[in-house]
Amino acid sequence: MNSCKKENYAKAIYHYNLADRLRKLGHLREAAEQEIIGDHYMSLYRSCKG
């Protein structure tokens, strides 16, 4: 996995995990925002070459 893929995948997973923790605490709006950010990094991960 090249550095572009690694970096964007790690950021996506971080934001997805943060969204999950926020959702469990009842912070639904903040969780949704973090999930959108995670989706953004996941799309960057998918667009990386290699």
Side-chain angles (χ1 to χ4, degrees):
M1 190 181 298
N2 65 29
S3 65
C4 172
K5 282 192 168 263
K6 231 185 255 189
E7 183 178 322
N8 288 313
Y9 185 79
K11 287 180 182 179
I13 296 305
Y14 169 79
H15 287 284
Y16 288 146
N17 288 336
L18 182 56
D20 187 50
R21 288 191 301 269
L22 287 167
R23 198 175 297 106
K24 287 177 181 175
L25 293 172
H27 301 287
L28 301 181
R29 182 175 298 204
E30 292 87 348
E33 291 171 355
Q34 292 304 314
E35 196 156 323
I36 290 168
I37 295 169
D39 289 345
H40 169 73
Y41 282 114
M42 192 56 74
S43 71
L44 292 175
Y45 161 76
R46 289 186 181 115
S47 69
C48 288
K49 304 287 184 210

